[in-house]
């Protein structure tokens, strides 16, 4: 059984149990065995993280940046190996997805985080010389990161955006590896630990556990030696962690679920319906629909145009072969959620069931419901069906489309497609006014599935999409602000101010 | 019985009960009767706030700023009247405190908030033209403000810093008046409502209820029509509201309690002990010790110097007449807390009991405990004794003083007094390294009770001082960030971008 990374050392876990990953294409377990830690491992990691936080406070931005860059280099050096392990555990293709798209994104994030650490812009210093006040952001304290199953590199707890942002802001990380891809997490943690040593950072700057029992997990996130948790995953798990953390005063950044509504207005369908059908189907099926920004809900206004167009979308979806899902849990949750949507009044246009083959496959699925029925059960009909699935809401008229928009829960994104000739402009303006308040990122004429790593990105949004709509999980240096504490120095003798606050 | 301000109108409350304020100098009830609202008032306020939030989104920064400025003018115009009402309800003196210090601070905050709205700097726009991404902060949604009892103007839910910051960021406010000063809140709300009308803002931009039953209160803060609550008060109330809000995904900004440790190092005492004794006593007794930043804990290193100095502090405190406390609740909580400190091992040096006169008076109180005893019961000995009270912790040596610092809970401020000649520098550096992580504002050689309204101020800190150490409740425009949502526009057609994001 593999050891855990605690306090800078790979040491045998105090294991309460064990688990293996599975090959999603066959459903068969893989060979490697990973420990479920008991509390003593959690305790040791918390103590070491607490100690590392204080020591990291004395490390230079250059040392932190050097770690991030060295780690990025090592990930690239081991790219083929990492992609092969990840592919075996997740079913995601080595090329182009893992090696050519996700790995460069991951190393790019780490290098952008290094640059942000060096520049210090994230600290947002503010000086009031006459009053002797000097203020800006500093590290927050130990961060426990729970990565999701859908990005084994770019959102991995040990290598992804949260990891990079937390470290760049000077905080130690305890990574909780996702149980669907422990092998790639293990290999990355080895590279991270080596990079920590080379950069001369405190050994416990990076720690990793593979898992712990549910009770120990909740106890750990509610331990005040943690400053914050950062979680990406299901709403049910997120809400349990949120309650445990927040009741103890530990901050909880959560990215939980999002239906990412896309409104196709009548003029847009008239102008380029066939193209839009391809765009929607493509976005829904990208990565087997397992993106946080997958358009799970689309809204149309009834009309002849609309029926034909939905048939086109359905045909495009059913013509494509189902692709593999990440895990048995993803498959069973998807089955349950689709059944729930049908129970709530949606009709299946195409797909709707497990595909008839071994492994974790679900048919590409389009569901449909009237605007009136949606308005009867807006909560049930917004259950996120995580997979190659979308629900089309057909509103009777423009007013009903606006009423549907008003019922949208907090979402990462919302989009309106409208005619180029201005025919939809009035309705578009109304919808955007409503949707701005519902979503973190508002789009026009573009699918939401691309999430660029840009300082101007917002990968966030109102609850329940995330836990706080003032923060973003993607984009540097802004995503570091989640892991920052406001530090004010009042009449502090000038030579005692931290370097970044000493005025030129 | 006074009406409530809901939906832009003063209307009779649907009252489940009533209450009066009291004259703290006599303990006698005042004449005016105020309603405890039942749920229908809460429901009406929530609905109106939700509607106002959408309408405010369409109002210009100039209109919002005009409201804030007009309100400030009106408060000044009614200054004498307001100060008299507030003084009757709180026992705070009209002059200089209410009329000459707190009122100008309050109108200054409103005017700074107006300037911040106009400048738009708080939005922190970020552009990525090549990717078509434009991002910055926008309004969050309805804010429910719970003001404290200790600043009837500057932190009043209907006029204080949270109110100003929330409105300046474009959010409607539901103010929950503090039951200890409903009269001044009522009069201010009248002025606010008139200013709303004059500025042409949506009528429900400002609403006020005097109170509701505990169950309705928790139901209200957990209502998703609210975006956030902002609370200043006791830890017990704050934690109840936090749980109710956060379990529903409503954000909770809380300022709850803080002991504001002050370390007096040996060299500093040797250099200017008598001055420091006066400074400490003065800071502890300011406003009857009812400031959030009152130094409730001071830490010394044992020695002959130290004993004499504490006697000096005790004498200074006992020589001054007790001043009146805000309410019977403040008095009874203080009695209980001081008893709890004694039970936890502290000895009373001076004071320690209710003063022998009518009204709400408590003796100026100094308690003392050894560093070793403090380290035995660090939590119990950090109970905030809100009033003219401080606990001196006498550490055996420098190492024990550092150990005490490590046990300090999250606090608004922490301070180290050290010798001018550098004799304390090693210990000071160690302490500041520990205390930076514990407090929002770190001071040298200065009492924490002054909280300047400056862009470089931080009135915040780690839990349990507040709910989130990344935000400040004082200082504009930074305090507005609490009430802001990150809004990203992705490929949105340029003419549809909000004005503040349209590139020059």
């Amino acid at each position: 059984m593999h050891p855990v990374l605690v306090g800078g050392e790979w040491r045998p876990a105090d294991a309460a149990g064990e688990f293996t990953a599975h090959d999603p294409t066959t459903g068969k377990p893989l060979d490697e065995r990973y420990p479920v830690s008991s509390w003593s491992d959690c305790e040791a990691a918390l103590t070491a993280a607490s100690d590392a936080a204080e020591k990291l406070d004395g490390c230079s931005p250059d040392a932190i940046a050097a770690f991030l860059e060295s780690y990025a280099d090592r990930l690239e050096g081991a790219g083929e190996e990492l992609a092969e392990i990840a592919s075996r555990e997740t079913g995601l293709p080595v090329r182009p997805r893992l090696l050519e798209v996700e790995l460069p994104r991951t190393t790019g994030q780490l290098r952008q985080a290094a640059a942000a650490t060096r520049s210090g812009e994230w600290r947002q210093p503010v000086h009031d010389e006459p009053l002797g006040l000097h203020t800006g952001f500093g590290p927050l304290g130990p961060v426990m990161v729970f990565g999701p199953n859908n990005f084994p590199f770019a959102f991995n707890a040990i290598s992804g955006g949260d990891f990079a942002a937390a470290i760049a802001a000077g905080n130690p990380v305890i990574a909780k590896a996702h149980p669907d891809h422990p092998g790639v997490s293990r290999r990355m943690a080895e590279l991270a630990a080596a990079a920590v040593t080379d950069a001369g950072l405190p050994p416990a700057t990076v720690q990793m556990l593979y898992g712990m029992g549910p009770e120990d997990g909740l106890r750990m996130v509610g331990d005040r030696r943690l400053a914050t948790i950062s979680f990406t995953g299901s709403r049910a798990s997120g809400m349990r962690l949120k309650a445990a953390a927040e009741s103890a005063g530990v901050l909880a950044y959560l990215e939980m679920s999002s239906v990412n509504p896309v409104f196709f207005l009548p003029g847009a369908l008239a102008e380029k319906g066939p193209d839009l059908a391809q765009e929607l189907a493509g976005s829904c099926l990208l990565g087997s629909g397992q993106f946080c920004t997958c358009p799970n809900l689309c809204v149309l206004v009834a009309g002849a145009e609309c029926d034909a167009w939905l048939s086109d979308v359905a045909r495009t979806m059913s013509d494509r072969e189902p692709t593999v899902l990440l895990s048995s849990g993803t498959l069973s949750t998807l089955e349950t959620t689709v059944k729930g949507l049908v129970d709530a009044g949606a009709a299946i246009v195409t797909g709707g069931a497990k595909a008839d083959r071994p492994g974790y496959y679900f048919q590409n699925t389009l569901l449909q419901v009237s605007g009136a029925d949606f308005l009867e059960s807006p909560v049930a009909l917004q259950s996120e069906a995580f997979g190659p699935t979308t629900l089309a809401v057909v509103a009777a008229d423009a007013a009903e489309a606006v009423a549907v928009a008003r019922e949208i829960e907090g979402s990462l994104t919302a989009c309106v497609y409208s005619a180029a000739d201005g025919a939809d402009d009035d309705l578009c303006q109304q919808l955007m006014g409503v949707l701005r308040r519902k979503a973190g990122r508002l789009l026009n004429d573009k699918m939401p599935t691309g999430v660029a790593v840009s300082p101007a990105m917002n990968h966030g949004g109102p609850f329940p999409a995330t836990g706080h709509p003032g923060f973003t999980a993607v984009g540097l240096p802004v995503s570091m602000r989640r892991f920052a504490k406001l530090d004010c120095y009042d009449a502090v003798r000038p030579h005692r101010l931290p370097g970044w606050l000493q005025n030129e």
Side-chain angles (χ1 to χ4, degrees), chain A residues 66-126:
Chain A
F67 159 71
L68 292 164
E69 288 164 345
S70 148
Y71 184 27
D73 293 344
R74 285 164 203 264
L75 291 173
E76 276 171 0
E80 302 251 356
E81 178 196 357
L82 293 169
E84 272 159 33
I85 306 173
S87 181
R88 194 155 56 234
E89 294 182 328
T90 63
L92 297 169
V94 168
R95 285 193 174 73
R97 164 70 188 258
L98 289 169
L99 201 54
E100 290 159 14
V101 180
E102 204 181 325
L103 185 61
R105 181 187 180 98
T106 308
T107 54
Q109 284 176 161
L110 290 165
R111 292 191 178 111
Q112 285 188 36
T117 294
R118 281 212 177 84
S119 94
E121 186 199 333
W122 69 281
R123 295 187 178 273
Q124 301 192 15
V126 184

Side-chain angles (χ1 to χ4, degrees), chain A residues 236-256:
Chain A
S237 300
M239 290 303 288
R240 276 194 298 272
L241 294 176
K242 175 176 158 71
E246 291 179 340
S247 67
V250 174
L251 303 180
Y253 295 107
L254 311 145
E255 190 198 313
M256 294 188 286

